[in-house]
Amino acid sequence: MIRNSSDMLIKSLAESIALEYPQIILPIDKIIEQEEIKLFYDSYGDTFDGMTIYDDSDFYMHINSFRGNKPDTARARFTIAHELGHYFIDNHRIGLMEGVLKPHPSRNNENSHAKIEREADYFASCLLMPEERFIKSFHKRKFDFEIIKNLSEQFHTSVTATAIRFANIGNHAIMIVCGENGQIKWRWNSEDFMYKYLLYSNKIPENSVMGEYFYKARQTSGTEDVWAIDWFNYVDDSNINKKLKEHCITHKNMALSIIW
């Protein structure tokens, strides 16, 4: 059994490593090199994004190029940062070295319920987007999707990872919904987001921007207005005519909406 690590400890650990480097885009390959981790990119099919193995006194990190983890892409950077979480977080590293924590596949954008995976994801976010630098990049700006896009480019992180980081420490409450084939895959929101309950527990609402993509094959074009009642349950009478903003990014059978 692996003991849990506190968010405060993980944040302090990740950001202390990140702030050793002056670059906004963290040179993650340098960390791999300095720690003498054996890094391999290969195609493992649609199985996992990353896996860390300890064997014969060495750590080996396997990155799956089949799932888009090509060297120096935003996706690969997050995958490596996640695996570094397993390496740097004491409980994870000791667990791997002692065989208590078995090598296991990690997948991006899965919103895992496993505590060690959530800890590694949080480590990755703090490592790639340390709070001090992240907050400076949007201080006093009025929120719109361009902030997420600009932050993503500035830190060389995916829109998904950047949006989740903003939801956690940003200056405007947002909700993020990931959909696949018309079904809700996962959701994430700022603690102070005004609505907590989606209209449906599993299904993407038909009248949302994402819903129109899945059910009507309508391509989205930037940020659009949506009625709160088209996304959320328990909207009180005073907000029955309230409109929100939805920015939906689509790719084949997948979609990601940021709502504010």
Side-chain angles (χ1 to χ4, degrees), residues 3 6 11 63 96 188 203 206 244:
R3 292 186 294 110
S6 72
K11 176 180 182 292
I63 307 301
L96 285 167
W188 192 271
K203 177 184 172 184
E206 295 91 334
L244 303 172

Side-chain angles (χ1 to χ4, degrees), residues 1-258:
M1 179 69 69
I2 301 297
R3 292 186 294 110
N4 294 338
S5 301
S6 72
D7 284 352
M8 184 178 296
L9 180 63
I10 292 171
K11 176 180 182 292
S12 176
L13 173 63
E15 296 191 353
S16 67
I17 296 168
L19 296 177
E20 289 179 4
Y21 300 89
Q23 301 95 320
I24 295 296
I25 297 178
L26 182 73
I28 202 162
D29 289 344
K30 284 189 177 180
I31 298 174
I32 295 291
E33 181 181 341
Q34 288 171 0
E35 296 299 322
E36 299 183 345
I37 298 169
K38 310 296 191 295
L39 178 65
F40 300 94
Y41 288 91
D42 210 340
S43 178
Y44 301 98
D46 192 19
T47 51
F48 63 87
D49 284 291
M51 182 184 294
T52 298
I53 297 170
Y54 178 79
D55 184 54
D56 195 24
S57 300
D58 285 317
F59 281 92
Y60 299 84
M61 192 177 294
H62 295 273
I63 307 301
N64 188 2
S65 59
F66 182 89
R67 283 174 54 84
N69 294 285
K70 303 296 173 62
D72 202 37
T73 60
R75 185 182 184 94
R77 284 169 53 77
F78 191 88
T79 297
I80 293 171
H82 173 104
E83 296 305 318
L84 283 173
H86 293 316
Y87 174 81
F88 278 111
I89 298 172
D90 284 344
N91 297 338
H92 297 208
R93 184 181 67 258
I94 293 169
L96 285 167
M97 294 174 70
E98 295 182 348
V100 178
L101 177 59
K102 300 298 181 184
H104 60 282
S106 301
R107 292 172 68 98
N108 289 344
N109 300 336
E110 293 292 331
N111 200 28
S112 174
H113 294 291
K115 187 68 168 67
I116 60 167
E117 292 303 289
R118 295 201 306 273
E119 289 179 354
D121 276 347
Y122 184 57
F123 177 94
S125 294
C126 295
L127 182 70
L128 296 174
M129 297 168 279
E131 183 171 348
E132 177 183 321
R133 290 174 177 168
F134 193 78
I135 289 177
K136 283 182 180 178
S137 299
F138 58 79
H139 184 57
K140 294 184 179 180
R141 288 180 58 189
K142 182 179 179 182
F143 182 79
D144 59 17
F145 176 72
E146 286 301 309
I147 287 181
I148 300 295
K149 180 182 176 183
N150 292 343
L151 287 167
S152 173
E153 294 169 351
Q154 185 174 346
F155 288 89
H156 196 14
T157 48
S158 70
V159 167
T160 301
T162 307
I164 290 173
R165 186 67 167 147
F166 188 92
N168 290 341
I169 63 174
N171 60 356
H172 191 95
I174 64 173
M175 176 173 281
I176 308 150
V177 180
C178 179
E180 181 176 15
N181 295 321
Q183 299 295 305
I184 296 170
K185 191 174 184 183
W186 56 263
R187 51 167 278 191
W188 192 271
N189 59 271
S190 306
E191 283 189 8
D192 56 344
F193 189 75
M194 64 188 75
Y195 302 111
K196 303 300 181 187
Y197 302 99
L198 294 174
L199 192 60
Y200 307 117
S201 59
N202 298 312
K203 177 184 172 184
I204 300 297
E206 295 91 334
N207 293 325
S208 64
V209 178
M210 188 189 294
E212 292 192 349
Y213 170 74
F214 282 125
Y215 306 126
K216 299 179 183 178
R218 185 176 77 85
Q219 297 298 320
T220 66
S221 56
T223 302
E224 300 184 34
D225 289 334
V226 289
W227 299 104
I229 58 173
D230 285 338
W231 258 112
F232 299 102
N233 216 337
Y234 308 116
V235 177
D236 59 42
D237 291 342
S238 63
N239 286 317
I240 204 73
N241 293 318
K242 184 175 182 60
K243 283 189 174 182
L244 303 172
K245 300 289 186 183
E246 177 181 355
H247 191 98
C248 184
I249 303 166
T250 61
H251 179 67
K252 297 181 180 178
N253 66 331
M254 300 288 296
L256 184 83
S257 276
I258 300 171

